Amino acid sequence: MASIFTKIISGEIPSFKIYEDDNYLAFLDINPNALGHTLCIPKKEINEIFDLDDETLSGLMIFSKKVAHAIKKAVVCKRVGVSIIGLEVPHVHVHLIPINKMNDMSFESKINLTQDEFIEIMKKIKSYI
Ligand code: AMP
């Protein structure tokens, strides 16, 4: 069965898409740690990051770098933290999270955003790509 992220790629499930090319997609995390929390995924559906072939793995990092630079311009933060977990969704994804302190990388504190706030930050990040 297709992963929830494959359904996002196809548009079967709605998302706040930030940027995509032939091989990768960036979209906002629906349950964000912070404003601008973004996921970057390969369109190829693979469960674990280190099962990606070398070309897809390095391409994902280069794609994530481009998105992270745009996030840094769109959101006031010290760093864009990077995390790869995958316990919930078995489709490789890189979390890009605006942070100011170590604890901001904890997945225990979440923020609530309205639909309008998701749209606003999506547009802002997109404008810097
Ligand atoms: P993990 O697999 O543990 O790295 O976490 C999966 C992440 O995907 C979580 O941060 C979820 O909030 C996020 N997520 C799950 N479903 C969606 C969705 N439909 N749209 C955007 N983000 C999602």
Side-chain angles (χ1 to χ4, degrees), residues 5 8 27-31 39 85-89 93 95:
F5 289 170
I8 282 176
F27 55 99
L28 294 177
D29 194 300
I30 205 67
N31 187 20
L39 302 176
I85 304 175
L87 287 173
E88 186 186 321
V89 179
H93 48 284
H95 291 264

Side-chain angles (χ1 to χ4, degrees), residues 94-116:
V94 175
H95 291 264
L96 298 176
I97 306 169
I99 57 170
N100 293 295
K101 55 186 188 312
M102 185 68 95
N103 212 34
D104 293 341
M105 286 305 287
S106 155
F107 284 76
E108 279 159 17
S109 67
K110 297 287 184 177
I111 61 161
N112 288 312
L113 295 179
T114 64
Q115 179 90 354
D116 284 351

Side-chain angles (χ1 to χ4, degrees), residues 113-126:
L113 295 179
T114 64
Q115 179 90 354
D116 284 351
E117 286 167 332
F118 273 114
I119 291 169
E120 188 184 345
I121 191 61
M122 172 192 72
K123 285 185 179 166
K124 196 168 181 192
I125 298 169
K126 271 170 105 155

Side-chain angles (χ1 to χ4, degrees), residues 6-118:
T6 293
K7 290 179 181 171
I8 282 176
I9 293 165
S10 70
E12 197 180 326
I13 289 178
S15 67
F16 299 97
K17 290 184 181 176
I18 300 232
Y19 178 59
E20 69 183 306
D21 65 16
D22 288 346
N23 300 311
Y24 307 98
L25 170 68
F27 55 99
L28 294 177
D29 194 300
I30 205 67
N31 187 20
N33 291 20
L35 184 71
H37 182 166
T38 298
L39 302 176
C40 296
I41 64 172
K43 291 188 174 177
K44 199 181 281 183
E45 184 179 323
I46 303 286
N47 182 353
E48 295 199 40
I49 184 111
F50 295 125
D51 288 335
L52 289 176
D53 60 83
D54 290 354
E55 190 184 345
T56 306
L57 175 60
S58 53
L60 176 62
M61 287 302 135
I62 292 162
F63 180 88
S64 300
K65 170 180 157 177
K66 187 174 178 127
V67 176
H69 281 153
I71 294 171
K72 189 86 195 297
K73 288 178 185 147
V75 182
V76 178
C77 61
K78 280 193 181 157
R79 296 271 171 165
V80 175
V82 179
S83 181
I84 296 161
I85 304 175
L87 287 173
E88 186 186 321
V89 179
H91 183 145
V92 172
H93 48 284
V94 175
H95 291 264
L96 298 176
I97 306 169
I99 57 170
N100 293 295
K101 55 186 188 312
M102 185 68 95
N103 212 34
D104 293 341
M105 286 305 287
S106 155
F107 284 76
E108 279 159 17
S109 67
K110 297 287 184 177
I111 61 161
N112 288 312
L113 295 179
T114 64
Q115 179 90 354
D116 284 351
E117 286 167 332
F118 273 114

